Amino acid sequence: MKKRWLGVAGLILMCLLPGCGQTAEDAAAFGEESADGTPQQTQEEEEDESGVEMTSWRESVQKMFEDPYGDYSETGGEIVLLTDGSVEDGGYNEAVYNGVRMYALGAGRSFSYYNANPDEPETYPGLVERAAQENARIIVCAGDIFGQAVGVLQDAYPQTSFLLIDSVPHDLEGEELSIAENVHCVLFHEEEAGYLAGYMAVWEGYRQLGFMGGRPEPAVLRYGYGYLQGIDAAAKDLSLDDVTVNYWYADTFSPDIAVREKADGWYENGTQVIFACGGGLDESVLEAAENQDGLLIGVDVDQCRDSDRVLTSAVKNIGAAVTDTLDSFYANGGWNSGRSGQVKRYGVDEGCAAIPVVDTEWRFKEIPTTHFFEIYKQMKRGGRTVSDDISAPPQVAVTVNFE
């Protein structure tokens, strides 16, 4: 292993490896708070007391990503990431990739990534086989779409370890399979991030909301059902009886004219905010929001920089969870008893489910960040609970129009 732990990259990695976040204040989605509980604003450049310019956190991370030791390899890496699209999508795939890259560059492990064609899911098992045959030690699969391929091949390559993100092994019909000892699965409490986004939207003053999901897959269901629970909780806290939610699955994770037209119709009929949950689907919702002067809630990562139409985002700290898991894998020489054939879910308790607060634009005008932190801490301490049951929509008092 290359000795680089005393450099900037190693110091950053050591800060991240202990977990997604030990406290609400330390969660990567939030940054740091001052003594009075309000978030400190991050800056691209910082100065010490003498006025000397210091290296910013963002610059330090960027230096790490420059790969000075040449750990990235086009093929045959020890760690191989499989995605169903670009690793520079500015969203989900990039978040997983950054987690892999952060660990590999800090720990001196070679890594590669292979992209599958999202329109040819029948080729995914072949991509998994390719990585295994090229002697990958661990194959990281991004997204539920790889669950079936790993389900088919987990027993065929017992010497290869698999890390499934947002999926468990399943068959062609979607039925879950037993998880082999060489497989570990990372899932998230998306319902907690959805809850926070819905709660804050209602508290801000919005009464007509919408949810557009790609397909009713587990992660999407958890986001949506958590969103409904958060909306319902805020309505109860504020003693409201006029909150309504339109709810629809588009059956696609790609930009689509049908999605844009549906969103156009919702906005025209009074919907104020739409939670766009599913891959590139948000592009069509954003187009409608910009045409109709509406707002949207992003998903997975902070999408505030995409448009001023983005009110906030329901985020899960994917990169930190991936880094934490890879560190555990290498520290134990493989999957230990707590991870081998097991599922670990990351959420508020680990600092991995939230809405962005620091290093973003806070677009809530009626809600101070201190109120958000209070709700977050209530969740973390068990004062607010969010059901992760996706067998049926949650029972809520607000009006929900399922389409």
Side-chain angles (χ1 to χ4, degrees), residues 141-188:
C141 300
D144 185 68
I145 194 69
F146 285 98
Q148 185 265 326
V150 173
V152 170
L153 296 169
Q154 59 182 353
D155 294 324
Y157 294 96
Q159 302 307 312
T160 302
S161 295
F162 295 91
L163 170 56
L164 266 176
I165 308 297
D166 279 317
S167 186
V168 296
H170 56 78
D171 61 20
L172 289 169
E173 287 71 42
E175 293 296 321
E176 292 186 11
L177 301 171
S178 296
I179 305 174
E181 292 183 357
N182 57 327
V183 178
H184 176 62
C185 305
V186 165
L187 303 180
F188 294 86

Side-chain angles (χ1 to χ4, degrees), residues 14-25:
M14 285 190 286
C15 288
L16 291 177
L17 289 183
C20 291
Q22 300 303 316
T23 66
E25 293 80 359

Side-chain angles (χ1 to χ4, degrees), residues 258-292:
V259 175
R260 192 202 69 201
E261 290 174 348
K262 173 72 78 171
D264 268 328
W266 282 7
Y267 285 128
E268 286 177 356
N269 290 321
T271 297
Q272 299 162 295
V273 183
I274 297 175
F275 183 6
C277 183
L281 173 147
D282 69 290
E283 295 179 27
S284 298
V285 178
L286 177 57
E287 185 177 349
E290 291 174 338
N291 291 337
Q292 302 293 337

Side-chain angles (χ1 to χ4, degrees), residues 253-393:
F253 288 108
S254 301
D256 190 277
I257 189 170
V259 175
R260 192 202 69 201
E261 290 174 348
K262 173 72 78 171
D264 268 328
W266 282 7
Y267 285 128
E268 286 177 356
N269 290 321
T271 297
Q272 299 162 295
V273 183
I274 297 175
F275 183 6
C277 183
L281 173 147
D282 69 290
E283 295 179 27
S284 298
V285 178
L286 177 57
E287 185 177 349
E290 291 174 338
N291 291 337
Q292 302 293 337
D293 197 29
L295 296 171
L296 66 86
I297 293 171
V299 71
D300 287 339
V301 299
D302 182 9
Q303 294 181 277
C304 181
R305 294 177 179 85
D306 293 349
S307 169
D308 60 7
R309 297 286 91 201
V310 178
L311 175 65
T312 188
S313 301
V315 301
K316 51 191 185 185
N317 200 346
I318 303 168
V322 170
T323 304
D324 175 67
T325 306
L326 288 173
D327 179 58
S328 174
F329 175 83
Y330 279 99
N332 292 284
W335 298 130
N336 61 18
S337 58
R339 295 187 185 258
S340 175
Q342 302 295 316
V343 175
K344 179 175 175 60
R345 183 164 286 166
Y346 291 78
V348 162
D349 283 346
E350 295 78 21
C352 284
I355 61 173
V357 177
V358 174
D359 197 25
T360 190
E361 185 178 345
W362 183 255
R363 290 175 177 166
F364 295 102
K365 296 180 175 60
E366 303 300 324
I367 310 171
T369 54
T370 50
H371 181 61
F372 163 77
F373 280 112
E374 180 57 35
I375 301 302
Y376 184 88
K377 289 174 183 177
Q378 289 175 15
M379 293 176 65
K380 194 174 181 69
R381 296 167 182 170
R384 287 179 181 267
T385 59
V386 187
S387 172
D388 63 356
D389 181 13
I390 57 174
S391 61

Side-chain angles (χ1 to χ4, degrees), residues 10-309:
L11 291 173
I12 294 171
L13 187 59
M14 285 190 286
C15 288
L16 291 177
L17 289 183
C20 291
Q22 300 303 316
T23 66
E25 293 80 359
D26 295 330
F30 305 148
E32 297 181 351
E33 293 183 11
S34 60
D36 64 359
T38 58
Q40 298 173 346
Q41 296 299 310
T42 58
Q43 300 177 357
E44 293 301 315
E45 301 290 344
E46 297 178 351
E47 295 184 353
D48 65 12
E49 294 180 356
S50 65
V52 177
E53 192 173 274
M54 306 287 286
T55 301
S56 71
W57 171 269
R58 186 179 298 278
E59 288 176 333
S60 298
V61 173
Q62 187 58 45
K63 285 182 179 180
M64 181 175 191
F65 284 169
E66 290 173 358
D67 190 14
Y69 295 93
D71 293 312
Y72 170 71
S73 175
E74 288 191 8
T75 61
E78 182 176 342
I79 305 171
V80 175
L81 170 64
L82 306 183
T83 73
D84 65 346
S86 171
V87 296
E88 296 180 344
D89 63 356
Y92 181 84
N93 287 335
E94 188 167 335
V96 179
Y97 175 58
N98 282 341
V100 170
R101 182 167 57 160
M102 178 71 79
Y103 180 79
L105 293 177
R109 304 288 178 177
S110 64
F111 69 104
S112 305
Y113 65 86
Y114 306 154
N115 296 328
N117 186 333
D119 297 322
E120 299 178 359
E122 68 278 3
T123 65
Y124 288 19
L127 197 65
V128 173
E129 288 186 306
R130 172 190 170 188
Q133 291 167 4
E134 291 180 351
N135 299 315
R137 182 174 180 186
I138 180 169
I139 301 174
V140 182
C141 300
D144 185 68
I145 194 69
F146 285 98
Q148 185 265 326
V150 173
V152 170
L153 296 169
Q154 59 182 353
D155 294 324
Y157 294 96
Q159 302 307 312
T160 302
S161 295
F162 295 91
L163 170 56
L164 266 176
I165 308 297
D166 279 317
S167 186
V168 296
H170 56 78
D171 61 20
L172 289 169
E173 287 71 42
E175 293 296 321
E176 292 186 11
L177 301 171
S178 296
I179 305 174
E181 292 183 357
N182 57 327
V183 178
H184 176 62
C185 305
V186 165
L187 303 180
F188 294 86
H189 284 292
E190 291 92 352
E191 70 278 0
E192 295 176 340
Y195 179 101
L196 288 164
Y199 187 95
M200 293 298 155
V202 173
W203 197 276
E204 176 70 4
Y206 299 108
R207 302 293 180 260
Q208 294 177 272
L209 303 103
F211 176 86
M212 288 189 173
R215 297 189 186 93
E217 296 179 355
V220 178
L221 288 166
R222 285 191 288 269
Y223 270 128
Y225 291 175
Y227 182 61
L228 292 180
Q229 293 176 71
I231 290 170
D232 190 58
K236 290 177 180 175
D237 287 352
L238 294 169
S239 299
L240 303 174
D241 59 7
D242 60 346
V243 178
T244 62
V245 187
N246 291 324
Y247 200 102
W248 178 67
Y249 293 108
D251 195 33
T252 180
F253 288 108
S254 301
D256 190 277
I257 189 170
V259 175
R260 192 202 69 201
E261 290 174 348
K262 173 72 78 171
D264 268 328
W266 282 7
Y267 285 128
E268 286 177 356
N269 290 321
T271 297
Q272 299 162 295
V273 183
I274 297 175
F275 183 6
C277 183
L281 173 147
D282 69 290
E283 295 179 27
S284 298
V285 178
L286 177 57
E287 185 177 349
E290 291 174 338
N291 291 337
Q292 302 293 337
D293 197 29
L295 296 171
L296 66 86
I297 293 171
V299 71
D300 287 339
V301 299
D302 182 9
Q303 294 181 277
C304 181
R305 294 177 179 85
D306 293 349
S307 169
D308 60 7
R309 297 286 91 201

